[in-house]
Every structure is written in C-alpha cells, then in structure tokens.
Amino acid sequence: MSDSTAGQRPGDSEDGRPELGGPAERPRRVIGTPPPAEARSLLSGALTEAAQAEEGALARRELPSDPEDMAKAKRAERVVAACFILAMLAGFGFIASYVIFHTGSVTAVQHSNLALGSTMALAFLAMGVGATIWVRHIMPDVELTEQRHPIRSEPQDREAFAETFWEGADASQFAKRPILRRTLIAATVPMAIAPIVLLRDLGPLPGTSLDHTVWRKGMRLLTYGANTPITPADFSSPGGMITVVPDGYQNDFNALAKAACIIIKFAPGQVYYTTKPYPVSGYTVENWTVDNIVCYSKICTHVGCPAALYEQTTHHILCPCHQSTFDATRGAEVIFGPATRPLPQLPMTVDAQGYLVARSDFTEPVGPSFWERGPST
Ligand code: FES
C-alpha cells in the first residue's frame, strides 16, 4: 500500500474524503449499459463482487449538456415552441368556450361540452407532444441506471441529489433555450387560471329568494296530480292526508321543491290549537285552519326530503329519509329524528267560491334546518 492510500478506507476517494455513503450504501447514477439484473438484486443487500467489478469497468462520464446534432435540435426547438403556443391558444379557447357557451338547454350543454372537451384535449395533447419532442430530440440521448438501495437522507445524499438535479436541469436546456422556457410557461398560464373562471358556476347569491315560496294570498290549493281545487266538504273524512300544490305552479318543479304541502283532516278536539296569530311551539295556529283541516309544508326541515308518510292512528308525519317524525296535532313539532324544527304551517282560509286558499306565504322559511338561524330579511 502506498503512502497516498495509507489509512484510506474502502469507498474513500483519492483525496482521502469519504465517498458519499460508501459504494454499497449510497444510490449511484450509472451512465451506460446497466449491470446484469442479478448484480442489482435488492435481495442481496449489497452488490456482489462480480457486479462491483463490472461496474468499475463501466465508463463514467458526465451528461453532455448539448445534443450531438445541434441543427436537428434547433429544428426540434421550433416544433416544440409551436406545440406550446398551440397549447396556450387551446387553453385560452377553453376559457373562452366556458364564457361563450351557455347551458340553458340540452343542445346548448352538448355544444358547451364539445367546445370545452375539445379545447382542453387539444391543450393537453399539444403540451404532451411538445414535451415528448423536447425530451427525444433536444435532451442528450443517454441511458441512465439508478441503483436502488434503502433511501437515506444523509446530508451527503442531499448534496448528491442537488448536484444531480442541477446537472439534469442543465442538460434539459431549460435555462439555455429561452423560447422553450417562455412558451412552456405561457402554455401553463391558461390552465392555471381556468379554475378561477370556473368559480362562475357558484352562481349569483340567492339573496332572500330562499326565504319565500310562491304561495300568495288567495292562491288556491290544488290536489297534486289531479290539479283540482278543494272545498272543505271534499275533504271531510278525518284521518285523510293529501299533497297539495299552489294553483298556477302545479307543473313548476322548481317552485314545488319549496311550495309542496300536505293537508290533514282531523276530528274535532284532536288538534292542540293556539289562538295566537303566529306559530307557538307545540301548537297549531287555529286561525290558519279550516274545519280542522291543517296545512303543513311537505319539505322536511332536516335536509329537505318530502315528508310524505302519515300515520292516521298516531297523527305522526314521517320523513322516509332519516326517520324524522312530526306531531301533526301539535304544530308539526319534532318528536323524533334529526330534524330540529317543526314543519312550517301554511296560513289557510276559503275564498268566495268555498275553495281552500292560502292566506299568505309561509311566515317562516321552509326546508332544511340551517334556516334556524332565521330568515335573512
Ligand atoms: S330529510 Fe327528513 S329526516 Fe332527513
């Protein structure tokens, strides 16, 4: 052993500094033909002697920073730049399509989807083609083999990674070719801002529209399906329950989503009335009923399912979604389930022809219980 190598451990470099992690421990990049698979087995835990000898024979060289054929690379550069510009235009086309095409009908939705899908597909396709040509015709064409060992985060490894990263960045020509760099960045800009444009789908603020339904003073109650007005005499058998809708809105499902109601006929003395002209907890407002016919919202105050099941014997209104149960004799107060608010009662009377009509809209919002915070007006 010569003086220059005295005290040098296996894996130390010629200047005496330990090599990063030692030959059997640290990940290494090998340029050229990789060693046989058995020499790279993860099961062995370390390279075999034969594999080490073979690796030592591999020519070690730095990544070339320029491709061999510069003229060909220049042509490829122009093609890649064109792809990235096309991707940028397609990205802006996606945003423009979103703004231009509206979705008021099935045909409009089809046109919108076609424009959005084709522009987005073109943008990604152009980006992909550009990136592929960049890698294949501009970056150096060398084969890399990465030895895989247990991952460590030693400082030496991080330094080696940083060195490798900047070497690769240099080889990618990203810094040297400003036209590629700029067109790539330009191509990604519309894709980055596209989600911001999609915020438009949040739509206008609802304002006070959710506080009200279409029920108005004098509006007749129609039986759902038959669409016929109802007189108290038509609905004279105690224990009956039917769904009613506002006259003029029987086919407007947006309106019915909030305005659908149920009316229930009670026998005298079955209902716990309050004489106050407003809802009182545990009581039904007597002045809003006609001949012991009571009208409640059909929209469950839990999360809005139709509360459409009625038990004649117990006078319970049941919501099939999560089993909220309301007592129809006590102002539809909640007696079971996740709902926390009674079904609102619709003020009711009869018109000059003797038909059941609304006295007004509901005096409180219908539907899910987040309205417990109170109407916004
Ligand atoms: S929606 Fe009625 S109980 Fe949940």
Side-chain angles (χ1 to χ4, degrees):
M1 179 182 294
S2 68
D3 290 341
S4 62
T5 58
Q8 192 173 329
R9 294 169 300 163
D12 284 359
S13 61
E14 288 185 354
D15 60 4
R17 288 181 298 165
E19 284 196 356
L20 305 180
E25 297 177 352
R26 68 181 179 84
R28 286 165 296 154
R29 301 172 68 238
V30 178
I31 301 173
T33 305
E38 59 272 16
R40 294 181 279 117
S41 169
L42 292 176
L43 298 176
S44 66
L47 294 175
T48 64
E49 287 185 5
Q52 290 183 41
E54 187 170 346
E55 278 198 7
L58 288 173
R60 292 178 180 273
R61 57 188 169 89
E62 296 298 320
L63 274 175
S65 60
D66 285 317
E68 291 179 0
D69 187 342
M70 292 297 287
K72 183 179 174 187
K74 192 67 187 171
R75 287 195 300 275
E77 181 181 10
R78 286 194 284 270
V79 175
V80 173
C83 288
F84 287 161
I85 291 172
L86 180 60
M88 177 186 67
L89 295 176
F92 282 123
F94 176 84
I95 296 173
S97 302
Y98 188 81
V99 174
I100 293 170
F101 291 92
H102 296 285
T103 54
S105 66
V106 173
T107 305
V109 169
Q110 289 174 336
H111 290 161
S112 173
N113 286 348
L114 179 64
L116 291 173
S118 55
T119 51
M120 179 63 81
L122 181 60
F124 282 119
L125 178 66
M127 287 277 282
V129 170
T132 303
I133 296 175
W134 186 344
V135 170
R136 292 190 59 115
H137 298 294
I138 298 178
M139 291 187 186
D141 184 15
V142 295
E143 186 175 342
L144 300 178
T145 302
E146 190 86 22
Q147 295 294 336
R148 307 190 71 177
H149 298 294
I151 298 173
R152 296 169 187 248
S153 55
E154 301 283 342
Q156 300 97 314
D157 291 342
R158 292 199 293 272
E159 284 176 22
F161 172 80
E163 184 183 328
T164 303
F165 176 83
W166 289 115
E167 187 182 357
D170 191 35
S172 74
Q173 317 258 315
F174 188 81
K176 287 183 179 177
R177 298 183 183 271
I179 187 172
L180 291 186
R181 186 173 67 248
R182 290 169 189 156
T183 51
L184 175 60
I185 293 172
T188 57
V189 166
M191 295 182 191
I193 61 177
I196 299 173
V197 179
L198 298 182
L199 291 176
R200 194 187 72 162
D201 269 356
L202 292 177
L205 292 173
T208 61
S209 63
L210 296 179
D211 296 343
H212 308 289
T213 71
V214 295
W215 286 107
R216 295 290 178 269
K217 181 178 180 181
M219 189 175 279
R220 284 181 174 167
L221 283 64
L222 305 184
T223 55
Y224 180 60
N227 297 331
T228 53
I230 312 157
T231 65
D234 296 334
F235 195 52
S236 57
S237 302
M241 192 273 293
I242 58 174
T243 296
V244 294
V245 294
D247 190 7
Y249 293 90
Q250 52 269 39
N251 297 316
D252 184 342
F253 294 109
N254 282 331
L256 295 184
K258 291 192 297 177
C261 292
I262 52 176
I263 57 173
I264 302 170
K265 172 71 177 179
F266 290 99
Q270 285 183 323
V271 181
Y272 294 85
Y273 284 126
T274 175
T275 55
K276 299 226 170 8
Y278 50 81
V280 176
S281 178
Y283 294 92
T284 300
V285 180
E286 184 172 18
N287 199 34
W288 293 355
T289 66
V290 177
D291 270 354
N292 288 311
I293 299 173
V294 180
C295 184
Y296 295 116
S297 167
K298 190 177 180 179
I299 312 304
C300 181
T301 52
H302 179 218
V303 289
C305 286
L309 305 177
Y310 180 59
E311 280 184 349
Q312 274 190 20
T313 52
T314 59
H315 311 298
H316 290 170
I317 303 166
L318 304 176
C319 176
C321 287
H322 313 101
Q323 287 73 54
S324 284
T325 307
F326 306 87
D327 186 344
T329 64
R330 290 185 172 273
E333 70 171 358
V334 182
I335 56 173
F336 181 78
T340 58
R341 199 167 61 98
L343 298 172
Q345 184 182 351
L346 182 72
M348 201 172 51
T349 185
V350 289
D351 62 11
Q353 287 75 41
Y355 292 112
L356 295 175
V357 296
R359 280 179 179 268
S360 68
D361 191 8
F362 290 96
T363 58
E364 56 188 311
V366 301
S369 292
F370 58 81
W371 288 114
E372 273 193 308
R373 291 174 299 176
S376 56
T377 54

